[in-house]
Amino acid sequence: SNQVQTISGVPTYGNLTLTATAAVTKTLGGDLTVSGNLTIGINNTLDVSGSNFAINLAGNWSAVTGSAFTGGSGTVTFNGSGAQQILGTLSPKVFNDVVVNKTAATPLNTAGGTTVTMNNLTMTQGDFTPPATLNITGTLTSTAGTLTAGTNINIGGDWTNNGGTFTPGAGTVTFNSTTAAQGINGSAATQTFNNLT
């Protein structure tokens, strides 16, 4: 049977690696701060679905096939002072809300998969290059930093640029809500897309 364990949000962890030889679900008992890397190994489920606890991560995020992450209503903030990556063979990689609040001009990149899905994406500082497909089911809000497109960005809510940089490359941005009006908003004087659907 699947064991359930609680991970306390105190103290701050260095590198946190979840390992198990049988199925284990690990839930958060508070906000989680990891100053190094967070690795979700096979047989492990990291579950935030019963809370809105935050995960603050200064290193790499890695999840492999046979693991799971259930984001619930929580927020994952990438806040490192150096380069960070979203890694691992788990596909697709699904988050609830993601905040990129890194040291200016430092990158957050992806590897080990072609799709990342999230509810809301907030860019406050630092640079984010998603994989080939980035699915945002909610809103994008950018105040600083650079979002560099992969092949496709699909968005279900508003696109709000209040000063960040969007590098469209050869990609396509698709506004795909079937139930609500969507807007291209913000104080940025010019917003440039390559292909817009």
Side-chain angles (χ1 to χ4, degrees):
S1 65
N2 191 341
Q3 298 180 21
V4 177
Q5 301 173 351
T6 300
I7 299 175
S8 171
V10 180
T12 297
Y13 291 87
N15 293 318
L16 178 60
T17 302
L18 307 182
T19 60
T21 57
V24 176
T25 297
K26 296 174 180 173
T27 61
L28 294 187
D31 290 346
L32 179 65
T33 298
V34 181
S35 60
N37 300 322
L38 173 60
T39 303
I40 306 173
I42 192 169
N43 295 319
N44 288 265
T45 296
L46 180 56
D47 187 356
V48 195
S49 62
S51 67
N52 60 356
F53 292 134
I55 298 175
N56 300 295
L57 180 62
N60 296 330
W61 175 286
S62 181
V64 300
T65 303
S67 69
F69 174 68
T70 306
S73 57
T75 299
V76 176
T77 298
F78 292 90
N79 60 5
S81 59
Q84 292 179 263
Q85 289 187 295
I86 300 172
L87 303 168
T89 55
L90 179 65
S91 182
K93 296 172 177 64
V94 180
F95 299 88
N96 180 47
D97 292 344
V98 171
V99 175
V100 179
N101 185 25
K102 298 172 50 52
T103 299
T106 61
L108 170 63
N109 299 311
T110 57
T114 59
T115 302
V116 171
T117 298
M118 60 191 63
N119 183 28
N120 300 307
L121 173 61
T122 302
M123 299 277 304
T124 58
Q125 189 167 258
D127 301 335
F128 179 34
T129 302
T133 300
L134 174 63
N135 297 314
I136 304 170
T137 58
T139 63
L140 165 69
T141 305
S142 179
T143 56
T146 299
L147 175 63
T148 300
T151 305
N152 297 293
I153 296 178
N154 304 305
I155 183 166
D158 291 342
W159 179 289
T160 302
N161 188 341
N162 291 321
T165 299
F166 175 60
T167 304
T172 298
V173 175
T174 300
F175 288 80
N176 61 5
S177 175
T178 59
T179 60
Q182 293 177 263
I184 301 173
N185 307 313
S187 59
T190 301
Q191 301 193 48
T192 301
F193 299 88
N194 179 49
N195 295 320
L196 185 63
T197 300

Short mmCIF file of all heavy atoms in Angstrom, two decimals, residues 71-78 94-100 116-123 128 134-142 147 154-160 182:
data_model
loop_
_atom_site.label_atom_id
_atom_site.label_comp_id
_atom_site.label_asym_id
_atom_site.label_seq_id
_atom_site.Cartn_x
_atom_site.Cartn_y
_atom_site.Cartn_z
N GLY A 71 0.48 19.52 -7.55
CA GLY A 71 0.70 20.90 -7.13
C GLY A 71 -0.40 21.53 -6.32
O GLY A 71 -0.17 22.54 -5.66
N GLY A 72 -1.61 20.97 -6.36
CA GLY A 72 -2.72 21.55 -5.60
C GLY A 72 -2.91 23.01 -5.93
O GLY A 72 -2.93 23.41 -7.09
N SER A 73 -3.01 23.84 -4.88
CA SER A 73 -3.13 25.29 -5.08
C SER A 73 -1.86 26.02 -4.67
O SER A 73 -1.85 27.21 -4.44
CB SER A 73 -4.33 25.83 -4.28
OG SER A 73 -4.18 25.51 -2.90
N GLY A 74 -0.76 25.26 -4.57
CA GLY A 74 0.51 25.83 -4.12
C GLY A 74 1.28 26.52 -5.23
O GLY A 74 0.93 26.45 -6.41
N THR A 75 2.34 27.20 -4.83
CA THR A 75 3.19 27.95 -5.75
C THR A 75 4.63 27.45 -5.63
O THR A 75 5.15 27.29 -4.53
CB THR A 75 3.16 29.46 -5.43
OG1 THR A 75 1.82 29.94 -5.58
CG2 THR A 75 4.08 30.24 -6.35
N VAL A 76 5.25 27.21 -6.77
CA VAL A 76 6.67 26.89 -6.82
C VAL A 76 7.40 28.13 -7.31
O VAL A 76 7.12 28.64 -8.41
CB VAL A 76 6.96 25.70 -7.74
CG1 VAL A 76 8.47 25.46 -7.85
CG2 VAL A 76 6.26 24.44 -7.24
N THR A 77 8.32 28.64 -6.49
CA THR A 77 9.10 29.82 -6.85
C THR A 77 10.54 29.41 -7.09
O THR A 77 11.19 28.86 -6.21
CB THR A 77 9.03 30.89 -5.75
OG1 THR A 77 7.68 31.31 -5.58
CG2 THR A 77 9.88 32.11 -6.11
N PHE A 78 11.02 29.69 -8.30
CA PHE A 78 12.42 29.48 -8.63
C PHE A 78 13.15 30.78 -8.31
O PHE A 78 12.92 31.80 -8.96
CB PHE A 78 12.57 29.10 -10.11
CG PHE A 78 11.99 27.74 -10.43
CD1 PHE A 78 10.67 27.60 -10.80
CD2 PHE A 78 12.78 26.61 -10.32
CE1 PHE A 78 10.14 26.35 -11.09
CE2 PHE A 78 12.26 25.35 -10.61
CZ PHE A 78 10.94 25.21 -10.98
N VAL A 94 3.83 19.00 -14.55
CA VAL A 94 2.64 19.81 -14.26
C VAL A 94 2.80 20.50 -12.91
O VAL A 94 3.06 19.84 -11.90
CB VAL A 94 1.36 18.94 -14.27
CG1 VAL A 94 0.14 19.80 -13.96
CG2 VAL A 94 1.20 18.24 -15.62
N PHE A 95 2.63 21.81 -12.90
CA PHE A 95 2.69 22.62 -11.69
C PHE A 95 1.35 23.34 -11.52
O PHE A 95 0.54 23.38 -12.45
CB PHE A 95 3.80 23.68 -11.80
CG PHE A 95 5.19 23.13 -11.96
CD1 PHE A 95 5.69 22.84 -13.22
CD2 PHE A 95 5.99 22.90 -10.85
CE1 PHE A 95 6.98 22.33 -13.37
CE2 PHE A 95 7.28 22.40 -10.99
CZ PHE A 95 7.77 22.11 -12.26
N ASN A 96 1.13 23.92 -10.34
CA ASN A 96 0.01 24.85 -10.20
C ASN A 96 0.51 26.23 -10.62
O ASN A 96 0.57 26.54 -11.79
CB ASN A 96 -0.57 24.84 -8.78
CG ASN A 96 -1.73 25.81 -8.64
OD1 ASN A 96 -2.62 25.84 -9.47
ND2 ASN A 96 -1.70 26.64 -7.61
N ASP A 97 0.91 27.06 -9.68
CA ASP A 97 1.44 28.38 -10.02
C ASP A 97 2.96 28.34 -9.96
O ASP A 97 3.55 27.72 -9.07
CB ASP A 97 0.92 29.45 -9.07
CG ASP A 97 -0.57 29.69 -9.22
OD1 ASP A 97 -1.13 29.27 -10.26
OD2 ASP A 97 -1.17 30.29 -8.32
N VAL A 98 3.59 29.03 -10.91
CA VAL A 98 5.05 29.12 -10.97
C VAL A 98 5.44 30.58 -10.96
O VAL A 98 4.87 31.39 -11.70
CB VAL A 98 5.62 28.42 -12.22
CG1 VAL A 98 7.11 28.71 -12.37
CG2 VAL A 98 5.37 26.92 -12.15
N VAL A 99 6.41 30.93 -10.11
CA VAL A 99 6.99 32.26 -10.07
C VAL A 99 8.46 32.15 -10.40
O VAL A 99 9.17 31.31 -9.83
CB VAL A 99 6.80 32.92 -8.68
CG1 VAL A 99 7.51 34.27 -8.61
CG2 VAL A 99 5.32 33.08 -8.36
N VAL A 100 8.92 32.99 -11.33
CA VAL A 100 10.35 33.09 -11.64
C VAL A 100 10.82 34.40 -11.02
O VAL A 100 10.47 35.48 -11.49
CB VAL A 100 10.61 33.05 -13.15
CG1 VAL A 100 12.10 33.19 -13.43
CG2 VAL A 100 10.06 31.76 -13.76
N VAL A 116 5.76 21.47 -20.42
CA VAL A 116 5.55 21.91 -19.05
C VAL A 116 4.19 22.59 -19.01
O VAL A 116 3.88 23.43 -19.86
CB VAL A 116 6.65 22.87 -18.57
CG1 VAL A 116 6.29 23.48 -17.22
CG2 VAL A 116 7.99 22.16 -18.47
N THR A 117 3.37 22.21 -18.02
CA THR A 117 2.03 22.76 -17.86
C THR A 117 1.92 23.40 -16.49
O THR A 117 2.40 22.85 -15.49
CB THR A 117 0.96 21.67 -18.02
OG1 THR A 117 1.06 21.11 -19.34
CG2 THR A 117 -0.44 22.21 -17.80
N MET A 118 1.28 24.57 -16.44
CA MET A 118 1.08 25.26 -15.16
C MET A 118 -0.22 26.05 -15.24
O MET A 118 -0.76 26.29 -16.32
CB MET A 118 2.26 26.17 -14.85
CG MET A 118 2.50 27.26 -15.87
SD MET A 118 4.08 28.12 -15.66
CE MET A 118 5.27 26.82 -15.94
N ASN A 119 -0.69 26.48 -14.06
CA ASN A 119 -1.86 27.34 -14.01
C ASN A 119 -1.45 28.76 -14.35
O ASN A 119 -1.66 29.23 -15.45
CB ASN A 119 -2.54 27.23 -12.64
CG ASN A 119 -3.82 28.04 -12.56
OD1 ASN A 119 -4.50 28.25 -13.55
ND2 ASN A 119 -4.14 28.51 -11.37
N ASN A 120 -0.81 29.45 -13.41
CA ASN A 120 -0.38 30.83 -13.65
C ASN A 120 1.14 30.90 -13.66
O ASN A 120 1.80 30.23 -12.87
CB ASN A 120 -0.93 31.77 -12.57
CG ASN A 120 -2.44 31.77 -12.53
OD1 ASN A 120 -3.10 31.99 -13.54
ND2 ASN A 120 -3.00 31.50 -11.36
N LEU A 121 1.68 31.76 -14.52
CA LEU A 121 3.11 32.02 -14.57
C LEU A 121 3.34 33.49 -14.28
O LEU A 121 2.77 34.36 -14.95
CB LEU A 121 3.70 31.67 -15.94
CG LEU A 121 5.17 32.07 -16.18
CD1 LEU A 121 6.10 31.38 -15.18
CD2 LEU A 121 5.58 31.77 -17.62
N THR A 122 4.19 33.77 -13.27
CA THR A 122 4.54 35.14 -12.93
C THR A 122 6.04 35.31 -13.07
O THR A 122 6.81 34.58 -12.45
CB THR A 122 4.11 35.47 -11.48
OG1 THR A 122 2.70 35.26 -11.36
CG2 THR A 122 4.43 36.92 -11.14
N MET A 123 6.43 36.27 -13.90
CA MET A 123 7.84 36.58 -14.11
C MET A 123 8.13 37.90 -13.40
O MET A 123 7.62 38.95 -13.79
CB MET A 123 8.13 36.74 -15.61
CG MET A 123 7.87 35.52 -16.47
SD MET A 123 9.21 34.32 -16.45
CE MET A 123 10.60 35.32 -16.97
N PHE A 128 13.49 32.89 -18.30
CA PHE A 128 12.89 31.56 -18.37
C PHE A 128 12.79 31.14 -19.82
O PHE A 128 12.18 31.84 -20.64
CB PHE A 128 11.52 31.57 -17.72
CG PHE A 128 10.78 30.24 -17.75
CD1 PHE A 128 11.45 29.03 -17.68
CD2 PHE A 128 9.40 30.22 -17.86
CE1 PHE A 128 10.78 27.81 -17.72
CE2 PHE A 128 8.71 29.01 -17.88
CZ PHE A 128 9.40 27.81 -17.82
N LEU A 134 4.81 25.01 -23.80
CA LEU A 134 4.45 25.55 -22.48
C LEU A 134 2.96 25.78 -22.47
O LEU A 134 2.44 26.58 -23.26
CB LEU A 134 5.20 26.86 -22.21
CG LEU A 134 4.81 27.61 -20.93
CD1 LEU A 134 5.12 26.76 -19.69
CD2 LEU A 134 5.51 28.96 -20.85
N ASN A 135 2.26 25.07 -21.59
CA ASN A 135 0.82 25.24 -21.43
C ASN A 135 0.56 26.06 -20.17
O ASN A 135 0.92 25.63 -19.07
CB ASN A 135 0.11 23.89 -21.31
CG ASN A 135 0.24 23.05 -22.55
OD1 ASN A 135 0.06 23.54 -23.67
ND2 ASN A 135 0.55 21.78 -22.39
N ILE A 136 -0.06 27.22 -20.33
CA ILE A 136 -0.47 28.06 -19.20
C ILE A 136 -2.00 28.07 -19.22
O ILE A 136 -2.61 28.66 -20.10
CB ILE A 136 0.08 29.50 -19.32
CG1 ILE A 136 1.60 29.49 -19.46
CG2 ILE A 136 -0.35 30.34 -18.12
CD1 ILE A 136 2.20 30.84 -19.82
N THR A 137 -2.61 27.38 -18.26
CA THR A 137 -4.07 27.29 -18.27
C THR A 137 -4.71 28.55 -17.72
O THR A 137 -5.88 28.82 -17.99
CB THR A 137 -4.55 26.07 -17.48
OG1 THR A 137 -4.06 26.17 -16.12
CG2 THR A 137 -4.02 24.78 -18.10
N GLY A 138 -3.95 29.33 -16.94
CA GLY A 138 -4.44 30.59 -16.38
C GLY A 138 -3.77 31.76 -17.06
O GLY A 138 -3.82 31.89 -18.29
N THR A 139 -3.11 32.61 -16.26
CA THR A 139 -2.59 33.88 -16.76
C THR A 139 -1.06 33.92 -16.75
O THR A 139 -0.41 33.22 -15.98
CB THR A 139 -3.10 35.05 -15.91
OG1 THR A 139 -2.62 34.89 -14.56
CG2 THR A 139 -4.62 35.10 -15.89
N LEU A 140 -0.53 34.78 -17.61
CA LEU A 140 0.88 35.14 -17.61
C LEU A 140 0.98 36.59 -17.17
O LEU A 140 0.34 37.46 -17.76
CB LEU A 140 1.49 34.98 -18.99
CG LEU A 140 2.86 35.64 -19.20
CD1 LEU A 140 3.94 34.92 -18.39
CD2 LEU A 140 3.24 35.69 -20.67
N THR A 141 1.80 36.85 -16.15
CA THR A 141 2.06 38.22 -15.70
C THR A 141 3.56 38.42 -15.64
O THR A 141 4.26 37.67 -14.96
CB THR A 141 1.44 38.49 -14.31
OG1 THR A 141 0.05 38.18 -14.35
CG2 THR A 141 1.64 39.94 -13.90
N SER A 142 4.05 39.42 -16.36
CA SER A 142 5.48 39.67 -16.44
C SER A 142 5.78 41.11 -16.07
O SER A 142 5.20 42.03 -16.65
CB SER A 142 5.99 39.37 -17.85
OG SER A 142 7.38 39.63 -17.94
N LEU A 147 11.18 36.09 -21.01
CA LEU A 147 10.56 34.82 -21.36
C LEU A 147 10.89 34.55 -22.81
O LEU A 147 10.53 35.33 -23.69
CB LEU A 147 9.05 34.87 -21.16
CG LEU A 147 8.25 33.64 -21.61
CD1 LEU A 147 8.65 32.40 -20.80
CD2 LEU A 147 6.75 33.89 -21.49
N ASN A 154 0.70 27.86 -25.18
CA ASN A 154 -0.76 27.84 -25.17
C ASN A 154 -1.22 28.49 -23.88
O ASN A 154 -0.78 28.10 -22.79
CB ASN A 154 -1.28 26.41 -25.26
CG ASN A 154 -0.76 25.70 -26.49
OD1 ASN A 154 -0.92 26.17 -27.60
ND2 ASN A 154 -0.12 24.55 -26.29
N ILE A 155 -2.12 29.48 -23.97
CA ILE A 155 -2.53 30.22 -22.78
C ILE A 155 -4.05 30.30 -22.72
O ILE A 155 -4.72 30.60 -23.71
CB ILE A 155 -1.87 31.62 -22.73
CG1 ILE A 155 -2.24 32.37 -21.46
CG2 ILE A 155 -2.16 32.43 -23.99
CD1 ILE A 155 -1.37 33.59 -21.18
N GLY A 156 -4.59 30.04 -21.51
CA GLY A 156 -6.03 30.03 -21.33
C GLY A 156 -6.58 31.28 -20.68
O GLY A 156 -7.80 31.43 -20.57
N GLY A 157 -5.70 32.19 -20.22
CA GLY A 157 -6.15 33.42 -19.56
C GLY A 157 -5.53 34.63 -20.22
O GLY A 157 -5.25 34.63 -21.42
N ASP A 158 -5.29 35.67 -19.42
CA ASP A 158 -4.75 36.92 -19.94
C ASP A 158 -3.23 36.88 -20.05
O ASP A 158 -2.56 36.21 -19.27
CB ASP A 158 -5.15 38.10 -19.04
CG ASP A 158 -6.64 38.40 -19.11
OD1 ASP A 158 -7.30 37.96 -20.07
OD2 ASP A 158 -7.14 39.08 -18.19
N TRP A 159 -2.72 37.66 -20.98
CA TRP A 159 -1.29 37.87 -21.17
C TRP A 159 -1.03 39.31 -20.75
O TRP A 159 -1.48 40.24 -21.42
CB TRP A 159 -0.95 37.65 -22.63
CG TRP A 159 0.49 37.86 -23.02
CD1 TRP A 159 1.17 39.04 -23.09
CD2 TRP A 159 1.41 36.84 -23.43
NE1 TRP A 159 2.45 38.83 -23.50
CE2 TRP A 159 2.63 37.48 -23.73
CE3 TRP A 159 1.30 35.46 -23.58
CZ2 TRP A 159 3.74 36.78 -24.17
CZ3 TRP A 159 2.41 34.77 -24.03
CH2 TRP A 159 3.62 35.43 -24.31
N THR A 160 -0.33 39.50 -19.63
CA THR A 160 -0.11 40.85 -19.11
C THR A 160 1.38 41.12 -18.99
O THR A 160 2.08 40.44 -18.24
CB THR A 160 -0.78 41.03 -17.72
OG1 THR A 160 -2.18 40.76 -17.85
CG2 THR A 160 -0.58 42.44 -17.20
N GLN A 182 -10.33 36.73 -23.23
CA GLN A 182 -8.91 36.85 -22.90
C GLN A 182 -8.40 38.20 -23.36
O GLN A 182 -8.95 38.80 -24.28
CB GLN A 182 -8.10 35.72 -23.57
CG GLN A 182 -8.41 34.34 -23.04
CD GLN A 182 -7.64 33.26 -23.78
OE1 GLN A 182 -8.16 32.64 -24.69
NE2 GLN A 182 -6.40 33.04 -23.38
#
